[in-house]
Amino acid sequence: MTPIRYFAAVALIVAAISSAFAASAFAADPVFPPGARVGMTPLVGLNKARTFIGFETEDKGVKVLVTDLPAEAYGEVANAFKANPGGTGGIKPESIETAAGLAYYTVENGKDGATNVRRYSMILPGPTFSGYVAVQVPENASKIYTDDAVRQMFASAVIRTEVPVEEQLGLMPFKIGELSSFKNIRTLAPGAALILSDSDEKRGFEIAPFMIIGLIGSTAASPDDRGRFAQQIATTIPGVRDGRITMSEPVRIDGQPGYETRIDATSGKDNTPVTIVQWLRFGSQTSMRIIGSSPREEWTKAFPRFRAVRDGIHPRT
């Protein structure tokens, strides 16, 4: 993916977000939005957002999105900026020193509906990911949130390698009472999906047992459709190749109707043979999806861990 595509993709997310922010003084220390691995010292009038990861103002105008990109994104952007320091399309890249290392950012004018806005996009290096910050400032706030002010905020950016487990779990719309001794816990999408693993991003999750837990915005149309729905969703598990469904049958999960599907497949850059279980717990409009993957030779030991985690998930009251 090209640098401009990285920036444009996340900028679209920023443009679509609207929420509220309580005003605050310029903080002395960097602030991490809940679940984020990128933090910074927010400018006056900014505070943690309520419906997205980042910061925003009370009037919904100024928005600061904080997210992760794949580890290789920073290198691709840095190489492109070095190869073409003048930029493209009239957008000239700038560099800035942060506590995390040398970051790159761009500034451009745009539109949010009928409103003229100034957009800023910064990428910075992380140990196993690339940090990304996108800022949108409407024209009527540009005298306060100036180019220099945003640059000052960018310069304050820091990265933490780990987010406290309790902080991550507290963002999820359900409770997880059992973690089955998994070594690494990380939100894939804060408030939406969580990964529990014995490996990490750098080595690859598939070389050891791991689980992905989250909600999907769809469910079976009827009880008779659950089997078809479960098998169709199973084909969308990322990173799986040559998958073969070995079992798919209805189950009860925490007293609710569900479906268990098992798959033999290969996964990862080393073509690791894996066995995967997918549990779906059906709701009226959404479904909980629980995926457990293990190298095939470790399946017998891994499956009870997967089931213990599944049975420890309950609604948040």
Side-chain angles (χ1 to χ4, degrees):
M1 184 179 287
T2 65
I4 296 301
R5 286 177 62 197
Y6 277 124
F7 287 157
V10 185
L12 287 174
I13 300 174
V14 177
I17 296 172
S18 63
S19 293
F21 233 111
S24 68
F26 192 92
D29 298 317
V31 176
F32 289 91
R37 293 189 284 184
V38 177
M40 67 192 67
T41 303
L43 297 172
V44 172
L46 293 174
N47 207 334
K48 297 176 185 177
R50 297 174 184 172
T51 59
F52 66 94
I53 306 303
F55 307 94
E56 63 180 356
T57 50
E58 182 68 31
D59 65 358
K60 305 180 182 180
V62 181
K63 305 175 182 70
V64 181
L65 174 73
V66 177
T67 190
D68 295 350
L69 292 178
E72 62 271 16
Y74 174 82
E76 292 182 17
V77 171
N79 290 337
F81 282 4
K82 291 172 184 176
N84 188 11
T88 58
I91 302 174
K92 185 180 184 301
E94 303 285 349
S95 62
I96 187 171
E97 286 290 347
T98 72
L102 186 66
Y104 297 91
Y105 74 95
T106 58
V107 184
E108 61 182 308
N109 295 317
K111 287 275 192 180
D112 183 2
T115 303
N116 293 323
V117 296
R118 191 85 160 150
R119 291 195 175 116
Y120 307 80
S121 300
M122 179 179 71
I123 193 166
L124 62 161
T128 57
F129 62 96
S130 299
Y132 184 85
V133 183
V135 180
Q136 180 170 291
V137 178
E139 190 173 32
N140 62 6
S142 60
K143 291 184 179 179
I144 298 174
Y145 299 95
T146 63
D147 288 356
D148 286 343
V150 174
R151 180 180 172 87
Q152 180 185 9
M153 183 171 66
F154 279 169
S156 73
V158 294
I159 279 179
R160 56 179 175 177
T161 56
E162 298 293 337
V163 179
V165 172
E166 289 305 315
E167 179 180 324
Q168 297 183 67
L169 297 182
L171 296 172
M172 304 307 293
F174 43 79
K175 295 180 181 179
I176 300 180
E178 173 59 56
L179 298 176
S180 285
S181 301
F182 278 103
K183 298 175 182 177
N184 299 305
I185 314 294
R186 185 170 70 79
T187 47
L188 293 175
L194 187 76
I195 185 166
L196 290 63
S197 65
D198 283 342
S199 185
D200 55 35
E201 295 159 300
K202 189 172 183 178
R203 294 182 297 162
F205 292 119
E206 68 283 337
I207 65 171
F210 73 91
M211 298 185 73
I212 297 175
I213 305 166
L215 299 178
I216 55 176
S218 57
T219 191
S222 68
D224 291 339
D225 192 46
R226 288 170 183 160
R228 181 205 62 79
F229 181 84
Q231 293 187 33
Q232 183 180 39
I233 291 295
T235 65
T236 68
I237 297 174
V240 172
R241 299 184 299 278
D242 304 321
R244 179 176 64 88
I245 293 176
T246 60
M247 183 267 277
S248 193
E249 62 185 27
V251 294
R252 302 289 293 183
I253 302 174
D254 196 26
Q256 291 183 268
Y259 231 89
E260 177 177 329
T261 304
R262 298 191 194 183
I263 304 164
D264 283 341
T266 57
S267 183
K269 60 183 180 181
D270 296 326
N271 294 318
T272 303
V274 295
T275 297
I276 300 167
V277 60
Q278 172 189 269
W279 287 294
L280 294 179
R281 190 172 75 187
F282 299 107
S284 58
Q285 296 181 327
T286 63
S287 302
M288 175 174 288
R289 188 186 197 188
I290 305 168
I291 298 169
S293 175
S294 170
R296 205 159 298 157
E297 67 271 16
E298 300 180 41
W299 171 254
T300 302
K301 292 182 179 179
F303 182 74
R305 298 172 67 194
F306 297 159
R307 191 166 51 194
V309 172
R310 181 204 71 181
D311 293 343
I313 299 173
H314 302 290
R316 188 175 294 279
T317 56

